Amino acid sequence: MFSHFIPAVHLFFTIQNLLVVAIGLFVGVTIGAIPGLNVPMTVALLLPITFYMSPVAGISLLIGVYKGGTYGGSISAILINTPGAPAAAATCMDGYPMAKQGKAGKALRASIYGSVIGEFIADLVLITIASQIAMVALKFGPTEKLSLVIFALVTIGVVSSEHKLKGIAAGLLGIFFRTVGSDPISGSSRFTLGVFSLIGGIPFLPHLIGLFAVSEFFVQIESKVVDAQRDVVAPVSKNREDNYVSWKEFKQNIVTIIRSTLIGIGIGALPGSGSAISAFVSYGAAKNASKHPEKFGKGSLEGVFAAETGNNAVCGGALIPLLTLGIPGDAITAIMLGVFLVHGLIPGPDLFVKSGDIIYAVFIGLIVANILHFFIASLGLRLFIKLLSISRAILFPIVIIICVAGAFTANSSIFDVYVMIFFGVLGYVMKKFNFPVAPLMMGYILGSLLETSLVQTLVLSNGSVLPIFTRPISLLFVVLTVFFVVWSLIIQKRGRARKAKL
Amino acid sequence: MKKLFLVFIILLASAGLILAEGTQEGAAAGEYPTKPIQIIVPWGAGGRTDINARMFASVAPKYLGQPVVVVNKAGGGSVIGGDYVAKAKPDGYTLLAITPGTNVFPVIFKKAPYGTYDFDPIGQIGSSTMAIASKPDRPWKNVQELIAYTKANPGKVTYACVALKAPQLGFLRWADKAGLKFKHVPVGNDAEAVEAALGGHVDIAMTSSVATIISHVNANKLNALIVFSEKRDANLSDTPTAVETGYAVVASPFTGLAGPKGMPKEVLNKLRTVFRQVIEDPDFLKVMKRIGESISPKFGDEFYAVWKNDFEGYSDIVRKMGFVK
């Protein structure tokens, strides 16, 4: 390792590389913050540019975008209740209530601290014990993945609302929406209603934008205009303590941050899962472990820390299977794999031996990106928080135009815009009847993994579901799921008892 | 500040939309081409097909005298973009970056809204090498032993690959000729197949490109058993081709260019000429080499012969296996 370190330092520390990382972060944060523009698309469009850079610069650029984008989603999630990226859906649940209470500055700072620390620890883990973790990740076969998905779905359904049944119903609806299109085994088309455009399933990006951003737009239209001149998005508190995270608050959240980081690394290292899932599982775990679970969903600082640390720790985690096995864990790392291949670097077991210098230079890039991330995000915060003082009548129409453009551009398809509007209306109706929308999206995201891993399990076991209970890792998740449900019921009961006493 | 920035973004976005729409109209007079040409990529941005198309589009204007715009229309495993081009006006202004999935779809689905041969072939840019690989701890070390083992244990050996696309159909053609029965475990993409094999959850990974397994083969984590190309792969020189095993199947998923069926002769000829010029252009060769893409060009009818060979093979196996829907 150390033999590679000195040449790697020389390889990384050039003006060009530092600049490229900073640009990547800046682009990432901006794209991440705008609902409708997404990180995988940006990374794909930047890809051809990286062909003309050195491998270290090219990969550093994409890492900057990846990290910045995963964090950037939290900005719009906190400020206007629309996650700029799927990973930030969990951040909405407490970030937006905080902003409404005038604590936007505090929430945004918590998001920065959580993201940067989560990333930093995840990167250290990647640098030191990547291959060991990859070996564990390989142990996750179809059965293990199936029980993990069930665990994640139950967690999300249970924690994202006070009405547990409504949360679970929304999750099931999401799974149902995922079944639209050609089924992954036989290829038969399901629930397409004869619409050929649906054969590829319900497109993800329009679904996400509609459900979160467009529905929020409808909610905003409906809300009363008190003073047309000063009808701003949310007030910003004048109190210093509402805009900063105090050392005491930070100390109270250290356990949450570390727990979420570990969850993020673990989920990131498993190909096929990702940052949105990690954010929710971290959020759920934090709520269950919290001394104040009743504050979750109403502006809990812990909730923001959990979600944001959980989703950014995935960045480091997702690089583990990419670098050690050559298996990309999500859409973004899949594109990064392309950059490696283009430069004649084949990720996999022999990468570290053959191109150790370059890999360690990339590792240095990861750490440098963390440091720059902190400064760029902190600078941007001053700018972003001004968004709140814009009149809603100006801001929301602009947001909606970006949403329509974003839904259209990914596939140049007007059908996708209709899909967005459909989910906008659906999201609005759900919000009206107090159904949480986040579980629907998570059901949709996890639905395909649920189906394929279930089918794979059944094929391999000749139609028996017993392996879920007989394979040790799988059994662990089953036990965790049961524990989780029971525990959250106990908490709820205690909360009610406490309320009754008062 | 932020407001200004947003306005700027919107202006950019709307300009993009107008430009994209603008290519649909325009005069038809004069010699082809008189307006920009669109290449529809039926996959997402950043994939292999997309990169090939973009590289092609960056060089082609030199010979066409018109800009070439790449538009991604992903979904349904290349079916949605394929359908769009099959139904486009055959005037040479809407082309398709074609991969086998588009043509295989109508072979399986009787109700498909377009047909396998609803496209005019222009040329093949390249093709990838399909291969199967196993973990070294399985009871076979090479393909002969695999055949012997599977004959003795029919339906026991599992293979992971994407369902009903070129890899599965290619593998089944081979298995059918060899009289072998395997158990299929459907996965979402090549990487998942390799992952399942590395983790020991399945016996065989069937992948559409050797690039996904080379590193593991070099590290002795996987044994490459067969490649499905015409000749042995340069990176896996010890691995026999399917033809060498005595059960001849040649199938290499191609990336090429096609247009809707029924383009005027002079338009098609012009496109084929330009295609050849681009493929032989030193700049194009340089970028493709740089991005590690091997080029195996096939022109016009030669490309059509590849289609015929592939799709007849696929039709047979699809009928035999009862996949037709």
Side-chain angles (χ1 to χ4, degrees), chain A residues 138 186-187 325 412 456 462, chain B residues 73 109 164 183 186 201 216 290:
Chain A
L138 275 182
S186 73
L325 303 170
S412 310
Q456 289 166 350
N462 292 320
Chain B
K73 266 192 192 296
F109 292 89
L164 293 177
K183 194 191 231 176
H201 307 293
H216 302 291
R290 195 175 182 135

Side-chain angles (χ1 to χ4, degrees), chain A residues 30 44 51-52 138-139 141 145 185-188 196-197 200 325 342 348-350 387 398 408 411-412 456 459 462, chain B residues 5 10 17 45 55 71-74 76 79-80 83 109 113 163-164 183 186-187 195 201 215-216 287 290-291 325:
Chain A
T30 316
F51 297 162
Y52 301 95
L138 275 182
K139 294 239 160 36
K145 283 186 182 161
I185 301 101
S186 73
S188 319
F196 187 67
S197 302
L325 303 170
V342 158
D350 50 352
L387 236 137
I398 293 177
F408 179 81
N411 286 321
S412 310
Q456 289 166 350
V459 167
N462 292 320
Chain B
F5 180 69
I10 293 164
L17 289 184
M55 293 303 162
V71 179
N72 297 94
K73 266 192 192 296
V79 169
I80 288 180
D83 178 56
F109 292 89
L164 293 177
K183 194 191 231 176
V187 292
E195 184 202 344
H201 307 293
S215 154
H216 302 291
V287 269
R290 195 175 182 135
I291 64 168
K325 293 185 192 344

Side-chain angles (χ1 to χ4, degrees), chain A residues 209-346:
Chain A
I209 306 172
L211 199 59
F212 285 94
V214 179
S215 71
E216 182 61 25
F217 185 64
F218 292 141
V219 172
Q220 294 284 345
I221 291 176
E222 210 183 21
S223 67
K224 239 190 202 149
V225 177
V226 188
D227 175 355
Q229 288 296 307
R230 291 203 208 158
D231 192 32
V232 296
V233 182
V236 179
S237 167
K238 296 272 186 295
N239 287 341
R240 196 187 135 80
E241 62 189 85
D242 285 339
N243 285 307
Y244 289 86
V245 177
S246 71
W247 178 240
K248 197 178 145 220
E249 284 171 320
F250 182 75
K251 270 199 305 202
Q252 284 165 350
N253 282 294
I254 281 186
V255 179
T256 304
I257 291 174
I258 293 183
R259 188 192 315 109
S260 303
T261 304
L262 296 180
I263 292 172
I265 297 170
I267 290 187
L270 286 179
S273 30
S275 49
I277 301 166
S278 163
F280 273 100
V281 173
S282 301
Y283 184 87
K287 185 174 177 181
N288 266 358
S290 171
K291 285 186 190 124
H292 303 285
E294 73 280 357
K295 283 191 186 159
F296 276 67
K298 296 183 188 107
S300 161
L301 186 64
E302 238 178 316
V304 175
F305 266 119
E308 275 306 303
T309 314
N311 67 30
N312 264 64
V314 166
C315 298
L319 290 172
I320 293 174
L322 175 69
L323 295 179
T324 55
L325 303 170
I327 294 169
D330 58 17
I332 302 164
T333 41
I335 299 168
M336 280 188 194
L337 176 63
V339 183
F340 280 98
L341 295 176
V342 158
H343 290 289
L345 305 165
I346 301 177

Side-chain angles (χ1 to χ4, degrees), chain A residues 79 104-105 108 236 243 380-389:
Chain A
L79 298 180
L108 287 171
V236 179
N243 285 307
L381 188 143
R382 289 158 206 274
L383 202 75
F384 290 124
I385 207 156
K386 294 220 167 69
L387 236 137
L388 291 178
S389 49

Side-chain angles (χ1 to χ4, degrees), chain B residues 17-305:
Chain B
L17 289 184
I18 292 164
L19 277 180
E21 281 306 301
T23 56
Q24 316 265 329
E25 307 148 17
E31 202 176 314
Y32 173 86
T34 55
K35 58 177 186 180
I37 290 171
Q38 277 194 80
I39 297 182
I40 305 290
V41 172
W43 301 98
R48 199 168 152 262
T49 315
D50 179 65
I51 293 171
N52 277 338
R54 281 180 199 279
M55 293 303 162
F56 184 89
S58 68
V59 179
K62 197 156 122 190
Y63 301 101
L64 275 168
Q66 286 287 344
V68 179
V69 187
V70 173
V71 179
N72 297 94
K73 266 192 192 296
S78 82
V79 169
I80 288 180
D83 178 56
Y84 179 81
V85 175
K87 291 190 178 132
K89 211 165 146 199
D91 54 6
Y93 292 104
T94 311
L95 305 177
L96 177 69
I98 198 164
T99 51
T102 307
N103 316 60
V104 170
F105 182 74
V107 172
I108 297 168
F109 292 89
K110 287 230 176 71
K111 281 193 201 151
Y114 65 91
T116 300
Y117 294 103
D118 279 0
F119 306 94
D120 276 337
I122 297 167
Q124 168 178 307
I125 299 174
S127 62
S128 62
T129 305
M130 300 202 292
I132 60 171
S134 282
K135 241 181 138 179
D137 65 1
R138 302 289 128 153
W140 52 85
K141 294 280 163 288
N142 53 46
V143 64
Q144 276 75 32
E145 290 175 27
L146 171 68
I147 294 173
Y149 186 88
T150 315
K151 279 224 165 104
N153 303 281
K156 284 257 161 57
V157 180
T158 54
Y159 70 103
C161 76
V162 183
L164 293 177
K165 298 275 182 229
Q168 192 196 6
L169 299 181
F171 180 65
L172 284 177
R173 276 164 72 187
W174 176 81
D176 181 55
K177 283 194 176 168
L180 302 175
K181 275 207 160 56
F182 294 93
K183 194 191 231 176
H184 177 226
V185 179
V187 292
N189 54 43
D190 284 351
E192 284 175 30
V194 175
E195 184 202 344
L198 279 175
H201 307 293
V202 298
D203 297 317
I204 296 172
M206 169 85 205
T207 156
S208 65
S209 162
V210 289
T212 54
I213 57 167
I214 286 174
S215 154
H216 302 291
V217 172
N218 289 343
N220 288 325
K221 302 272 187 205
L222 286 179
N223 275 335
L225 300 170
I226 321 175
V227 292
F228 290 83
S229 46
E230 274 175 79
K231 291 188 201 118
R232 289 193 180 198
D233 190 271
N235 293 306
L236 300 170
S237 49
D238 295 337
T239 306
T241 63
V243 180
E244 287 174 56
T245 65
Y247 310 106
V249 173
V250 177
S252 300
F254 52 79
T255 311
L257 200 63
K261 198 171 183 65
M263 288 189 285
K265 257 237 150 63
E266 59 280 8
V267 170
L268 188 58
N269 284 341
K270 170 87 183 172
L271 283 169
R272 285 180 174 176
T273 316
V274 169
F275 182 83
R276 189 184 281 268
Q277 284 166 325
V278 173
I279 291 288
E280 287 164 0
D281 184 285
D283 284 345
F284 182 75
L285 293 174
K286 214 162 78 192
V287 269
M288 292 299 272
K289 193 173 172 204
R290 195 175 182 135
I291 64 168
E293 277 290 330
S294 61
I295 298 181
S296 47
K298 292 213 159 80
F299 305 104
D301 296 334
E302 240 182 318
F303 188 30
Y304 193 74

